[in-house]
Amino acid sequence: LVMQLALVVLVFVSLSFACVPSGDQGCLNGQSFDSTVQFACRNDLYYYDQTGCCAQGIPFDINTQFCCYDGVHDETNAQCEPWSPIKGQFMEKEAKKLTAVELGELSHLSNIQEFIQQLQTPLNTTAVDLPSSIECTHANELFGCLNGVPYDWNTHYPCYNFLLDLTTEGCCVGQFYNYDTQTCCYDAISDTYEVVDSSHACYADYSD
């Protein structure tokens, strides 16, 4: 009974930090934002013309840095190059777990719990139409909330409008990739990012 009362209080307190996505308004953990100029990266909001999102939600300055394979690098020190075992050769090919919380008769949180357990990534949150029994308007210590879609802080993270898996998927400046089979690569000439279907297709070359 004490646990149920505590969760009821948590729900009502959290509602004061509620947000419902609509049109160009996005929502991250109860905070509204203009999705035409801002995006979500991990647990914070950034501007498209200033910041990019890399790997497991690492923000970086798109004007002075780039995202390549193992993280963020400074443009003055390196460039993103095709990689192979032999250099120069390109080789073509604290939050709590919801499952540990007794939700009792709080059906809304129970529905969210079930949804999160079955959540498949990558998930485009702008293409999901959730029933009111699952849709979130805020975040709390139990779950995060991106554009009305709840997610587990411990296993998922926001990458622009997508929810990704922390252990298997990376963010590539508006795109996403699989750590085991793909790489996020940067082309300095065209100033573009590409997800390449190879697990180590590029690397940051600091030799120059």
Side-chain angles (χ1 to χ4, degrees):
L1 179 60
V2 174
M3 176 63 75
Q4 292 178 6
L5 290 175
L7 288 171
V8 170
V9 172
L10 176 62
V11 169
F12 282 109
V13 170
S14 297
L15 286 177
S16 60
F17 301 97
C19 174
V20 178
S22 61
D24 292 334
Q25 176 179 287
C27 296
L28 175 64
N29 301 326
Q31 180 180 353
S32 63
F33 65 94
D34 185 346
S35 61
T36 63
V37 296
Q38 286 184 292
F39 66 92
C41 179
R42 200 64 175 265
N43 299 323
D44 293 301
L45 295 171
Y46 300 91
Y47 288 92
Y48 283 107
D49 60 352
Q50 299 175 4
T51 309
C53 190
C54 179
Q56 293 177 315
I58 304 172
F60 67 97
D61 187 338
I62 60 174
N63 298 307
T64 61
Q65 299 174 308
F66 64 90
C67 176
C68 181
Y69 181 60
D70 56 351
V72 174
H73 308 271
D74 291 332
E75 291 183 350
T76 56
N77 297 328
Q79 54 190 5
C80 195
E81 297 287 348
W83 179 91
S84 73
I86 301 176
K87 184 178 178 180
Q89 295 184 8
F90 181 71
M91 195 168 53
E92 290 183 353
K93 300 214 172 188
E94 285 61 309
K96 301 176 183 177
K97 288 281 189 179
L98 286 178
T99 54
V101 178
E102 179 56 56
L103 296 176
E105 298 177 359
L106 300 178
S107 60
H108 181 61
L109 291 181
S110 180
N111 290 334
I112 289 179
Q113 173 195 22
E114 183 177 356
F115 172 80
I116 289 176
Q117 289 176 338
Q118 299 176 2
L119 193 154
Q120 299 292 314
T121 61
L123 178 68
N124 184 350
T125 59
T126 62
V128 178
D129 185 15
L130 296 179
S132 59
S133 61
I134 296 176
E135 189 174 21
C136 60
T137 60
H138 60 274
N140 56 40
E141 61 193 44
L142 302 178
F143 57 82
C145 181
L146 175 63
N147 294 328
V149 181
Y151 64 91
D152 188 334
W153 298 107
N154 297 318
T155 58
H156 307 117
Y157 72 99
C159 166
Y160 296 76
N161 289 321
F162 294 95
L163 285 176
L164 303 181
D165 185 291
L166 270 171
T167 60
T168 63
E169 294 162 338
C171 193
C172 185
V173 193
Q175 306 174 70
F176 55 84
Y177 63 102
N178 182 284
Y179 290 139
D180 291 334
T181 61
Q182 298 174 310
T183 312
C184 176
C185 295
Y186 173 65
D187 186 338
I189 297 177
S190 62
D191 191 27
T192 59
Y193 287 86
E194 178 184 7
V195 173
V196 181
D197 289 329
S198 175
S199 61
H200 198 166
C202 57
Y203 78 113
D205 185 2
Y206 284 81
S207 61
D208 293 337

